[in-house]
């Protein structure tokens, strides 16, 4: 007996034996059981998905001698002849070889005659899209209103080429491609029934190579049986197909996850022995990255359709979501540039090296990164609260008031708005001062004349007097102070306005060194009280112009001002300004940094910072860097806070100027706060 190929031997004999296409089978089974039969059916889909098989099963169900049913007997003459392809009333036409209008007319001449043996005369036209335009026109009328004993079953792989007039006269059923997992299950069933040894990885290779076609999968299985000498194993199937080992693709992704360039390049060299299509190989990597991203966001959506679910979930736990998205985008751009590279392997290597070079700042596993993110958010909230408390706390002996900006508002914005909104009405220039500031031991006598405007609007530098406020002369001298060229009033107010009231303009900045600064207004519009010598307040960091303290006297708060005196520059200085000094234990300094600085603080930067600190203090130090929560204020945050405070103070001072208020009242002017630039007192 001659050998029959698996694709023909295992062709389904009834609807229950069909693999897949449940959405089509359900409609046909219900139509047969209920007797709701149309006169024309169109089956579309790629090769080998069951279009002709379903059409023959439908013809068998219509002509079974036991009656129209979705379960033909398979034993009567009509069922046997249809299965063997010799049923006289089932007319199969290959439209690819009979495209002329004469062939169609000859076919339709016999439509009027009743069936010879069966219940219906069935015309099964395969690849119907190959018919010519005249053939379609000749078929239209008969296809729309055929005799009651005629059924048309049309099959095509390209329904877009069919005229709309044909599509509108048929019930259309779209058959889907088979998923690899369904093909593997069917191949395992066939090989088990055929008593042929096999291993599962070889079936996955055959299923993926079939690309959704069950007929192609069975044909490849026939070839694999012959190639393997009566058995199907992975090594023989891989050699027969000439495909690359997809485990090597996973090894490339594992090398990227471990940031191991040697492993990536070695795996690519091993892949090159298969002489692969490098653009297709890059496409496989991009597709794998898509499945990894899906596994990270929706683990339940990942099935084992490719037999790699465990490897996929393992990679998803080792790669961060940011890395996967970045690698995917780099891969897409690399595929677009592949036609322009001089060598395909060179282009793929460059794409992989680009992925290694431009990975995100941290490459921790997804779970670890989530924990780090939560800790970073908590650290940021704690640092913000501490900073707000340090900024708003009053340096008084018994009373402390604080104010905090609303959430989402920059530092200094709330203070600025409060100062503007709650600013008192400016007194007349000639008015006498109504308040005498509290003097310290080194201040001037109480009878020193003080400008009312300066008394009300002086900026609150705690124990530090800006250089531009200093003036020389006798304590009781009546000489008008000389205005400096960098005075903030002269930078904002035009000379014409100064000529209107020169005395008022000068008194805005006429403030003695002896005056105690007036602090900002709190949320309750209560001025901050003066600092008491016995009050429990947090001390200020060492001033920039003071001598560098000994290492034994160094406090964590001093780091915000000492960092600029270490001699660091460039990126190293920027990194140091974002470190927080958390502990000082003798000659041991403990710095904290955030996760965003992880990749920046390398061994070179650490060495530079340690050398600068040892040179600054003139002794050997033990410096520890930890990626932990920053509880102390960093120099960068300190500088930003001071700039915001000075900006708010300058705006408040200028808004209380009588000239500015006169312009606003009489000329409907508006103070552009963004144009106010305070003189930096540091």
């Amino acid at each position: 007996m001659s050998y029959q190929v698996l694709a023909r031997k295992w062709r389904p004999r009834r609807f229950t034996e069909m693999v897949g296409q449940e959405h089509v089978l359900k409609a046909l089974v219900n139509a047969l059981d209920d007797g709701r039969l149309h006169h024309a059916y169109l089956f579309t889909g790629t090769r080998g998905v069951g279009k002709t098989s379903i059409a023959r099963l439908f013809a068998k169900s219509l002509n079974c001698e036991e009656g129209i049913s979705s379960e033909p007997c398979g034993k009567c003459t009509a069922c046997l002849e249809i299965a063997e392809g010799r049923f006289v009333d089932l007319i199969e036409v290959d439209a690819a070889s009979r495209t002329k209008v004469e062939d169609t007319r000859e076919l339709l001449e016999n439509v009027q005659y009743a069936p010879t043996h069966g219940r219906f005369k069935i015309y099964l036209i395969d690849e119907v899209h190959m018919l010519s335009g005249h053939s379609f026109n000749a078929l239209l009328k008969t296809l729309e209103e055929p005799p009651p004993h005629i059924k048309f079953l049309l099959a095509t792989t390209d329904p877009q080429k069919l005229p709309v007039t044909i599509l509108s006269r048929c019930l259309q059923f779209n058959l889907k491609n088979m998923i690899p997992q369904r093909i593997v299950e069917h191949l395992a069933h066939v090989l088990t029934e055929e008593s042929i040894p096999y291993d599962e990885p070889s079936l996955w290779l055959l299923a993926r190579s079939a690309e959704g076609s069950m007929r192609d999968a069975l044909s490849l299985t026939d070839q694999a049986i012959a190639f393997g000498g009566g058995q199907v194993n992975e090594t023989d199937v891989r050699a027969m197909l000439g495909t690359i080992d997809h485990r090597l693709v996973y090894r490339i992704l594992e090398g990227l996850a471990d940031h191991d360039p040697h492993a990536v390049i070695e795996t690519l060299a091993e892949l090159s022995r298969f002489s692969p299509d490098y653009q297709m190989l890059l496409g496989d990597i991009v597709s794998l990255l898509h499945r990894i991203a899906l596994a990270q966001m929706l683990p339940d959506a990942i099935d084992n359709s490719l037999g790699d679910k465990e490897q996929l979930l393992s990679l998803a736990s080792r790669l961060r979501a940011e890395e996967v998205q970045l690698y995917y985008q780099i891969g897409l751009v690399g595929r677009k540039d592949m036609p322009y590279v001089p060598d395909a392997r060179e282009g793929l290597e460059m794409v992989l090296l680009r992925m290694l070079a431009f990975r995100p700042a941290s490459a921790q596993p997804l779970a670890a990164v989530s924990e780090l993110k939560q800790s970073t958010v908590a650290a940021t909230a704690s640092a913000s609260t501490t900073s707000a408390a340090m900024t708003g706390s009053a340096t008084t002996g018994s009373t402390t008031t604080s104010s905090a900006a609303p959430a989402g508002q920059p530092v200094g914005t709330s203070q600025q708005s409060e100062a503007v909104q709650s600013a008192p009405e400016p007194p007349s220039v000639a008015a006498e001062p109504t308040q005498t500031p509290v003097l310290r031991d080194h201040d001037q006598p109480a009878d020193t004349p003080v400008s009312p405007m300066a008394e009300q609007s002086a900026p609150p530098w705690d124990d530090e007097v800006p250089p531009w406020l200093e003036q020389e002369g006798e304590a009781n001298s009546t000489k008008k102070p000389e205005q400096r060229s960098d005075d903030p009033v002269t930078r904002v107010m035009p000379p014409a306005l100064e000529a209107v009231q020169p005395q008022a303009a000068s008194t805005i900045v006429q403030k003695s060194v002896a005056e105690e600064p007036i602090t900002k207004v709190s949320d309750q519009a209560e001025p901050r009280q003066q600092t008491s010598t016995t009050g429990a307040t947090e001390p200020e960091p060492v001033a920039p112009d003071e001598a560098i303290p000994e290492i034994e006297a160094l406090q964590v708060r001093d780091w915000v001002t000492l960092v600029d005196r270490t001699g660091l520059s460039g990126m190293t200085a920027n990194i140091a300004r974002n470190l927080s000094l958390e502990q000082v234990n003798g000659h041991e300094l403990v710095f904290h940094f955030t996760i965003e600085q992880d990749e920046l603080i390398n061994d070179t930067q650490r060495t530079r910072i340690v050398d600068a600190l040892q040179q600054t203090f003139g002794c050997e130090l033990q410096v520890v860097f930890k990626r932990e929560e920053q509880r102390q204020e960093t120099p960068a945050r300190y500088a930003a806070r001071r700039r915001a405070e000075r900006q708010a103070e300058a705006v408040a001072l200028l808004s209380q100027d009588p000239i500015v208020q006169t312009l606003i009242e009489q000329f409907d002017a508006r103070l552009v706060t963004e144009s106010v630039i305070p003189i930096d007192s540091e």
Side-chain angles (χ1 to χ4, degrees):
M1 183 177 179
S2 61
Y3 175 74
Q4 190 176 17
V5 298
L6 296 177
R8 294 185 60 188
K9 183 178 180 180
W10 288 90
R11 186 186 292 272
R13 294 178 174 84
R14 53 179 54 90
F15 287 119
T16 55
E17 295 179 4
M18 282 290 300
V19 178
Q21 316 303 344
E22 288 81 4
H23 63 293
V24 175
L25 298 179
K26 181 178 180 180
L28 295 179
V29 168
N30 292 337
L32 289 168
D33 292 340
D34 298 340
R36 304 179 65 87
L37 302 175
H38 201 267
H39 58 268
Y41 295 85
L42 175 63
F43 302 100
T44 65
T46 58
R47 76 278 181 269
V49 294
K51 299 185 298 296
T52 307
S53 298
I54 290 179
R56 289 179 179 175
L57 289 176
F58 193 67
K60 186 186 296 186
S61 299
L62 290 175
N63 287 298
C64 181
E65 295 180 357
E66 294 187 0
I68 300 175
S69 172
S70 61
E71 292 289 341
C73 65
K75 300 177 181 179
C76 64
T77 305
C79 291
L80 294 175
E81 289 179 355
I82 291 174
E84 296 172 0
R86 55 185 180 85
F87 189 62
V88 67
D89 290 324
L90 177 59
I91 305 169
E92 296 192 21
V93 180
D94 181 15
S97 59
R98 303 187 64 179
T99 61
K100 296 181 180 180
V101 65
E102 292 81 4
D103 298 327
T104 305
R105 288 173 180 171
E106 181 182 352
L107 185 68
L108 297 177
E109 287 179 356
N110 298 321
V111 168
Q112 57 183 337
Y113 300 110
T116 303
H117 179 67
R119 187 177 293 107
F120 295 97
K121 180 182 287 187
I122 300 174
Y123 287 90
L124 175 54
I125 306 177
D126 200 5
E127 301 299 333
V128 68
H129 67 276
M130 299 294 290
L131 292 177
S132 64
H134 294 293
S135 298
F136 281 124
N137 293 333
L139 187 62
L140 280 178
K141 190 60 178 178
T142 305
L143 188 62
E144 182 178 7
E145 297 179 357
H149 58 272
I150 296 296
K151 299 294 180 186
F152 285 98
L153 304 180
L154 311 180
T156 179
T157 57
D158 195 357
Q160 288 79 13
K161 293 184 179 180
L162 292 179
V164 179
T165 52
I166 296 292
L167 295 175
S168 64
R169 288 167 169 80
C170 303
L171 293 184
Q172 185 174 349
F173 297 94
N174 299 315
L175 279 68
K176 302 177 182 178
N177 285 358
M178 303 288 182
I179 61 175
Q181 186 172 4
R182 184 65 63 86
I183 296 177
V184 168
E185 294 172 356
H186 187 63
L187 292 181
H189 171 71
V190 170
L191 293 176
T192 302
E193 294 295 325
E194 295 287 336
S195 301
I196 297 176
Y198 68 92
D199 56 6
E200 186 173 350
S202 63
L203 300 186
W204 282 105
L205 291 173
L206 294 171
R208 283 195 288 264
S209 299
E211 297 180 350
S213 172
M214 185 64 74
R215 183 176 62 232
D216 289 1
L218 291 170
S219 299
L220 288 172
T221 304
D222 261 326
Q223 184 179 352
I225 294 172
F227 189 90
Q231 62 179 358
V232 180
N233 58 72
E234 182 182 6
T235 304
D236 292 338
V237 171
R238 195 176 297 280
M240 178 192 76
L241 297 175
T243 57
I244 62 175
D245 190 351
H246 276 262
R247 289 176 297 184
L248 298 178
V249 179
Y250 278 94
R251 281 174 51 186
I252 290 178
L253 268 296
E254 291 171 357
L256 292 176
D258 298 334
H259 199 249
D260 189 354
H262 297 287
V264 173
I265 299 302
E266 289 176 1
T267 305
L268 187 59
E270 186 176 350
L271 276 169
S272 65
R273 297 203 304 263
F274 295 94
S275 299
D277 183 345
Y278 289 100
Q279 187 167 4
M280 186 177 296
L281 178 58
L282 181 56
D284 293 340
I285 295 175
V286 171
S287 298
L288 183 57
L289 288 170
H290 161 259
R291 299 185 67 211
I292 291 174
L294 189 62
Q296 290 176 337
M297 297 299 174
L298 299 171
D300 297 337
I302 300 300
D303 56 10
N304 199 27
S305 60
L306 298 179
D308 56 355
K309 185 175 182 179
E310 294 183 0
Q311 291 177 291
L312 194 67
L313 295 177
S314 175
L315 276 175
S317 63
R318 295 171 60 183
L319 286 168
R320 298 176 61 194
E322 299 91 329
E323 290 181 287
V324 176
Q325 295 295 331
L326 179 62
Y327 295 162
Y328 186 87
Q329 190 64 29
I330 292 176
L332 287 182
V333 176
R335 289 200 73 191
K336 182 181 66 176
D337 296 340
M338 285 292 279
Y340 305 106
V341 298
D343 181 72
R345 178 179 174 181
E346 173 187 321
L348 180 57
E349 286 182 353
M350 198 63 194
V351 171
L352 296 176
L353 292 176
R354 197 177 301 165
M355 293 179 181
L356 291 169
F358 293 99
R359 67 172 188 152
S362 177
Q364 298 297 327
L366 190 63
V369 170
S370 300
E371 297 175 359
L372 287 174
K373 285 183 178 179
Q374 294 176 1
S375 63
T376 303
V377 171
T380 304
S382 176
S384 301
T385 305
T386 304
S387 176
M390 293 174 61
T391 304
S393 60
T395 56
T396 60
S398 59
T399 306
T400 302
T401 59
S402 62
S403 61
Q409 187 174 356
V411 178
T413 305
S414 62
Q415 293 90 335
Q416 173 181 342
S417 61
E418 292 164 2
V420 174
Q421 293 176 3
S422 59
E425 290 292 328
S428 174
V429 177
E432 294 296 328
T434 58
Q435 179 177 345
T436 302
V438 180
L439 301 180
R440 296 190 294 263
D441 295 338
H442 60 277
D443 290 337
Q444 296 180 359
D447 56 352
T448 301
V450 179
S451 170
M453 181 59 62
E455 180 180 314
Q456 294 181 7
S457 308
W461 290 278
D462 294 335
D463 289 333
E464 178 183 352
V465 179
W468 59 274
L469 291 179
E470 297 182 0
Q471 50 183 317
E472 298 178 357
E474 297 296 332
N476 297 324
S477 175
T478 59
K479 179 182 178 180
K480 178 181 177 181
E482 180 183 0
Q483 289 190 1
R484 297 177 51 176
S485 60
D486 57 351
D487 192 290
V489 176
T490 61
R491 295 179 59 182
V492 178
M493 186 173 62
L497 297 181
E498 186 176 0
V500 178
Q501 290 183 350
Q503 183 179 0
S506 62
T507 56
I508 295 179
V509 293
Q510 188 176 356
K511 178 170 172 45
S512 173
V513 180
E515 290 185 66
E516 181 69 14
I518 306 300
T519 59
K520 291 175 293 184
V521 182
S522 64
D523 288 337
Q524 292 78 17
E526 297 179 359
R528 208 169 67 180
Q529 298 184 7
Q530 307 301 326
T531 304
S532 172
T533 56
T534 60
T537 60
E538 186 170 348
E540 287 292 320
V542 61
D545 54 349
E546 294 183 7
I548 297 177
E550 299 293 335
I551 187 63
E552 292 79 7
L554 180 67
Q555 303 293 328
V556 293
R557 65 179 179 274
D558 298 334
W559 173 243
V560 296
T561 56
L562 291 179
V563 63
D564 292 329
R565 306 168 67 182
T566 57
L568 295 172
S569 61
M571 179 180 290
T572 308
N574 190 21
I575 293 174
R577 291 189 184 96
N578 287 276
L579 297 175
S580 64
L581 180 59
E582 302 289 339
Q583 297 179 18
V584 180
N585 302 322
H587 285 230
E588 181 184 17
L589 306 180
V590 180
F591 290 94
H592 285 187
F593 60 92
T594 61
I595 186 175
E596 290 78 11
Q597 299 175 273
D598 194 9
E599 290 297 322
L600 298 177
I601 305 181
N602 50 33
D603 294 338
T604 302
Q605 303 295 347
R606 294 171 191 249
T607 303
R608 292 177 180 174
I609 295 174
V610 173
D611 293 343
L613 290 173
Q614 292 181 156
Q615 185 176 0
T616 301
F617 292 100
C619 60
E620 294 291 332
L621 298 176
Q622 182 178 358
V623 183
V624 180
F625 299 88
K626 294 183 179 181
R627 190 180 66 187
E628 293 184 5
E629 174 185 353
Q630 291 182 333
R631 299 180 178 84
Q632 300 295 331
E633 193 174 26
T634 64
R637 293 178 182 172
Y638 173 79
R641 177 173 61 84
R642 293 300 300 270
R643 286 194 300 270
E645 290 175 354
R646 286 192 296 275
Q647 175 70 18
E649 292 156 0
V651 171
L653 178 66
L654 190 59
S655 64
Q656 298 176 27
D657 181 15
I659 300 178
V660 174
Q661 292 188 350
T662 301
L663 291 175
I664 294 176
E665 294 174 359
Q666 297 183 3
F667 299 99
D668 196 19
R670 181 176 60 88
L671 178 62
V672 181
T673 58
E674 293 81 3
S675 64
V676 180
I677 304 176
I679 299 300
D680 197 340
S681 62
E682 293 185 351

